[in-house]
């Protein structure tokens, strides 16, 4: 599931009515965003997870600061707002960014993309737990159960010799962290008067500070001077964390959040394909089947939003700033 922006009234045109140009833009965005898992894996050949997280946040925030400045948007002011931004930056940026890098030390980049899709499932669980999502249609709950059944299929606990390592659990934790962040930002940062680009730039600045605090824990180890690894983290920070946010922001403005959210379903496919083609990763039929089950479950959990029911309107907003992912 792709990270989204908080832009009220993000309904908009249906995907079925999208022009060829919109489909092309969605494809490009999915390719750029989905490639993030590949760049993380490559960056790990020369950098530690904490170093990747810090550089990614620095470069991503720099890009968004330039874009916000160009758009005439100013950073938020006030201690209360920045306090909320720090919490959002922890759960939406610093922590999941680090967990993805940690997880991919032992897990395939394609698997990272697949488990990232469970964010939508965790979001529904969190929404039900805190009472912000009271839509208990059997279709949605069935989708939730089906989605987690897909996760079980991927982990295959009945095959002890095939149990995934701790890295896979770190990837699952990153997806859950995003869900917590989305719920928090929806309640504490949405509709507070700050424009999305400026809000996201501020949030990534906060994430930069948090990741800097983590540098003593493995971040000061000697990095291998490897042009490929350095190039990968630069692409990850500038393109996959900064530019893709802006592209998604513009896509939402043009076609609405419902249509733009379709990109999220393409990310696992992109990550698996790139992992196989570029890195020679082989996930196997079981993991691929699990991915399909997870995506079907995710689609079912969005049933009310797709049904056109007015009660589902709040879920049809573009959601939280600075959630460029993985």
């Amino acid at each position: 599931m792709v990270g989204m922006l908080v832009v009220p009234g993000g309904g908009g045109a249906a995907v079925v009515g999208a022009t060829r140009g919109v489909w092309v833009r969605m494809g490009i965005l999915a390719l750029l965003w989905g490639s993030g898992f590949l760049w993380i894996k490559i960056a790990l050949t020369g950098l530690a997870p904490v170093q990747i997280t810090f550089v990614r946040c620095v470069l991503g925030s720099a890009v968004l600061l330039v874009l916000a400045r160009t758009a005439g948007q100013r950073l938020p002011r006030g201690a209360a707002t920045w306090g909320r931004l720090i919490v959002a930056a922890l759960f939406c940026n610093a922590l999941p960014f680090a967990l993805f890098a940690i997880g991919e030390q032992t897990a395939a980049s394609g698997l990272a993309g697949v488990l990232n899709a469970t964010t939508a499932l965790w979001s529904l669980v969190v929404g039900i737990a805190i009472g912000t999502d009271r839509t208990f249609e059997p279709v949605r709950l069935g989708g939730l159960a089906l989605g987690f059944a897909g996760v079980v299929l991927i982990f295959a606990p009945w095959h002890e010799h095939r149990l995934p390592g701790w890295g896979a659990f770190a990837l699952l934790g990153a997806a859950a962290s995003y869900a917590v962040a989305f719920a928090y930002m929806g309640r504490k940062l949405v509709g507070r008067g700050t424009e999305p680009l400026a809000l996201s730039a501020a949030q990534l600045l906060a994430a930069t500070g948090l990741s800097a605090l983590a540098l003593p824990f493995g971040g000061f180890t000697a990095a291998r001077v490897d042009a490929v690894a350095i190039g990968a983290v630069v692409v990850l920070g500038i393109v996959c964390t900064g530019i893709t946010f802006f592209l998604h922001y513009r896509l939402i403005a043009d076609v609405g959040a419902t249509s733009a959210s379709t990109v999220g379903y393409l990310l696992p496919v992109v990550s698996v394909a790139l992992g196989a083609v570029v890195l020679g990763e082989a996930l196997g039929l079981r993991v691929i089947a699990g991915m399909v089950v997870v995506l079907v479950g995710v689609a079912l959990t969005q049933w009310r939003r797709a049904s056109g029911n007015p009660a589902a309107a709040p879920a049809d907003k573009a959601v939280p700033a600075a959630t460029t992912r993985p």
Side-chain angles (χ1 to χ4, degrees):
M1 178 98 175
V2 71
M4 298 160 66
L5 307 171
V6 179
V7 181
V15 175
V16 293
T19 65
R20 179 178 298 180
V22 170
W23 280 112
V24 170
R25 289 164 61 193
M26 285 185 177
I28 292 173
L29 181 58
L31 178 61
L32 295 178
W33 232 327
S35 70
F37 304 100
L38 171 67
W39 297 120
I40 291 172
K41 192 73 171 180
I42 295 174
L44 283 168
T45 61
L47 300 171
V50 176
Q51 294 168 336
I52 292 172
T53 302
F54 175 70
V55 175
R56 178 181 185 180
C57 289
V58 168
L59 295 176
S61 60
V63 170
L64 291 178
L65 282 170
V66 171
L67 291 173
R69 177 78 180 210
T70 303
Q73 298 181 15
R74 301 181 62 180
L75 295 180
R77 298 181 179 179
T81 299
W82 278 96
R84 290 189 289 268
L85 282 169
I86 290 173
V87 176
L90 173 63
F91 288 103
C92 195
N93 303 110
L95 179 59
F97 287 1
L99 287 175
F100 272 116
I102 290 171
E104 287 195 47
Q105 287 182 307
T106 57
S109 65
L111 180 61
V114 172
L115 293 180
N116 177 65
T118 64
T119 296
L121 305 177
W122 291 114
S123 291
L124 181 55
V125 170
V126 172
I128 292 174
I130 65 177
T132 57
D133 194 323
R134 300 180 182 277
T135 52
F136 302 113
E137 292 90 345
V139 173
R140 297 189 73 211
L141 295 179
L144 182 64
L146 184 63
F148 280 118
V151 175
V152 173
L153 178 60
I154 292 170
F155 279 61
W158 52 87
H159 294 303
E160 292 187 8
H161 64 287
R162 292 183 181 175
L163 282 175
W166 54 266
F169 289 100
L171 300 175
L172 204 58
S177 181
Y178 279 134
V180 171
F182 292 172
Y184 178 82
M185 289 189 285
R187 301 182 75 173
K188 300 295 185 179
L189 289 174
V190 179
R192 304 277 176 165
T194 304
E195 294 293 333
L197 282 174
L199 191 66
S200 294
Q203 187 172 310
L204 273 177
L205 276 176
T208 299
L210 291 173
S211 57
L213 294 176
L215 284 175
F217 304 95
F220 292 141
T221 58
R224 230 177 64 189
V225 181
D226 185 324
V228 175
I230 298 299
V233 78
V234 169
V235 173
L236 180 66
I238 294 177
V239 178
C240 300
T241 311
I243 293 176
T244 52
F245 171 88
F246 178 69
L247 294 177
H248 195 224
Y249 170 75
R250 293 303 303 269
L251 189 63
I252 287 174
D254 291 343
V255 303
T258 300
S259 297
S261 67
T262 306
V263 175
Y265 296 94
L266 301 176
L267 299 191
V269 179
V270 171
S271 68
V272 169
L274 289 177
V277 173
V278 180
L279 301 176
E281 296 176 346
L283 295 184
L285 290 178
R286 175 176 52 80
V287 174
I288 299 299
M291 177 185 72
V292 173
V293 173
V294 167
L295 291 179
V296 171
V298 168
L300 291 176
T301 63
Q302 309 303 306
W303 181 79
R304 278 183 69 93
R305 180 164 60 185
S307 68
N309 189 324
D316 196 29
K317 296 178 181 179
V319 204
T323 60
T324 43
R325 302 191 320 193

